[in-house]
Structure formats: C-alpha cells, structure tokens
Amino acid sequence: SQTIHQWPATLVQPVGSPLSLECTVEGTSNPNLYWYRQAAGRGLQLLFYSVGIGQISSEVPQNLSASRPQDRQFILSSKKLLLSDSGFYLCAWRLPGNTIYFGEGSWLTVV
Amino acid sequence: RKEVEQDPGPFNVPEGATVAFNCTYSNSASQSFFWYRQDCRKEPKLLMSVYSSGNEDGRFTAQLNRASQYISLLIRDSKLSDSATYLCVVNMGGNKLVFGAGTILRVKS
C-alpha cells in the first residue's frame, strides 16, 4: 500500500531564516506531488505541483520554492521566511485520474 | 466568483440530527468531485467520492447536480465523532484540484 511521510511535523523559525520541508511517498511510481498551505481558519492553497522529476509548476508567486530531485521525493524551501509564511503545510500525492492523499502536515510558526 | 464555494458554518446540530452541506463550483467542465473530512490540526482525509448517480456510504450520502453545478453531503443520525470540517474538492481537469474552504460541523449531546 502507498504511504506518504512528511517532516518535520512542527517547527518554529525566526523571520529571515531558511526553510526546508521534505516529503516522500512509498509504494507507488511517478505520482503527481503537491504542496499545499492552510493558513489559520482558511482553505487549502495550492503552492506547487509536480508531474515528474525536475518538473515543478508554481501556482502562487512568493518566496517559496519546490524541488523534486527523485521520483518520490518533494521538497519545499525558502531562503528567507516571512511572518506570513506561517501555516500548516501539507504534502500530497495523487495518481492521474484518482483522488489525492495527504501527509500528516507540518506546522510552521515564523516568529 | 470563487471556483469552489462552501458555507463556512458552523452548523451546530444535536446528536441524531440529519444535516446537509452544499458546495457550488464554477467550472461546468469539472470532471470529478470528492468530500474530505478534516479534524482540528490534522490533514484532510478522503470521506467519499461523488458519483453522477449519487452514492451512499453508511450514514453519508453524496449527490451531484451538474445542471446547477453543486455537490451535496448528507449526514444522517449525526454522532459526536462527526464533528469536523468538511471540505469539498473539485477536479477542474488535468492536475488542478480545487478545495473549498470547508464547512464546520459541531455535533452536540
């Protein structure tokens, strides 16, 4: 069966510091991978998605970036965090035509 | 107009009540539809897919109305454990899945 792992689960970072969130999927090949963010009391915002190694589509221009160095690995990064980057970050995977499955999420607080 | 809209609620209902949520979508070419459940500070989890003919899973019934461009979720005999946020999800085609902002349900004893 397929599983998705995301880490770290919680982090508190100062403004201006870098960020790296990592996500891996097991039990499937060539999945579509996604990064979403959910701000407090708000809906899910799609940040990036990837249909293959090295292929990244950005939905929202901001100070975040994503990379997919391996088929089942997806990384969300920032060089300098802003206060507005605080939120709940969710990695997800999906096979084309199917529904989407989420990792357990990473809570980021920028202070 | 938002691509996917939901009434944010909260819907406060007693145990045993029947409650229904609607979700409207803007793109008539949308291909598939889902309901997700999200507990506080947790990731969303698939509750059920929504099929054109309507589908039922225990106390939960999902319906699709393409003419009016909405989907619905009906929960019968509400339980305390049904308290959560319910998200509707619309596949707009390709890789684009759009989430509603969610409807909060609170079931009280």
Side-chain angles (χ1 to χ4, degrees):
Chain A
S1 63
Q2 300 89 357
T3 57
I4 179 168
H5 303 283
Q6 180 181 344
W7 68 93
T10 307
L11 62 167
V12 179
Q13 296 283 106
V15 170
S17 64
L19 171 73
S20 181
L21 301 178
E22 191 165 339
C23 169
T24 59
V25 180
E26 297 176 358
T28 187
S29 296
N30 198 30
N32 290 346
L33 296 174
Y34 302 81
W35 279 110
Y36 286 87
R37 178 172 62 198
Q38 188 174 40
R42 302 183 67 179
L44 286 165
Q45 178 187 34
L46 177 62
L47 301 175
F48 301 95
Y49 71 89
S50 171
V51 299
I53 296 174
Q55 301 179 60
I56 307 295
S57 296
S58 174
E59 290 293 306
V60 181
Q62 54 204 325
N63 68 321
L64 300 172
S65 62
S67 62
R68 186 171 177 173
Q70 301 180 44
D71 180 45
R72 289 171 287 177
Q73 183 184 27
F74 206 23
I75 299 171
L76 182 70
S77 304
S78 175
K79 293 182 179 178
K80 290 185 177 182
L81 285 168
L82 306 172
L83 286 174
S84 58
D85 290 325
S86 294
F88 188 37
Y89 288 80
L90 289 155
C91 181
W93 74 274
R94 174 177 179 243
L95 292 176
N98 289 340
T99 190
I100 194 166
Y101 298 93
F102 290 90
E104 293 183 343
S106 299
W107 285 96
L108 170 65
T109 303
V110 182
V111 297
Chain B
R1 181 185 176 186
K2 290 183 181 178
E3 293 178 295
V4 177
E5 291 197 78
Q6 293 183 253
D7 181 343
F11 285 62
N12 295 301
V13 302
E15 277 186 289
T18 295
V19 61
F21 313 132
N22 281 345
C23 168
T24 59
Y25 59 95
S26 61
N27 185 348
S28 60
S30 297
Q31 299 173 351
S32 52
F33 310 87
F34 309 92
W35 282 103
Y36 278 71
R37 170 191 170 129
Q38 186 174 23
D39 293 299
C40 187
R41 298 183 67 85
K42 297 288 188 180
E43 76 276 21
K45 294 183 178 179
L46 178 66
L47 179 64
M48 58 197 305
S49 302
V50 186
Y51 302 123
S52 297
S53 56
N55 48 299
E56 187 174 307
D57 182 1
R59 299 181 292 108
F60 298 83
T61 300
Q63 297 275 356
L64 168 63
N65 186 319
R66 283 195 182 272
S68 300
Q69 294 182 209
Y70 73 87
I71 63 173
S72 64
L73 178 67
L74 180 78
I75 305 175
R76 292 182 298 278
D77 188 22
S78 298
K79 312 290 184 189
L80 292 175
S81 57
D82 293 333
S83 297
T85 299
Y86 291 84
L87 307 173
C88 75
V89 183
V90 178
N91 181 355
M92 300 254 173
N95 295 302
K96 190 173 183 182
L97 288 174
V98 181
F99 285 75
T103 298
I104 298 171
L105 172 65
R106 297 176 183 154
V107 182
K108 302 189 175 181
S109 57

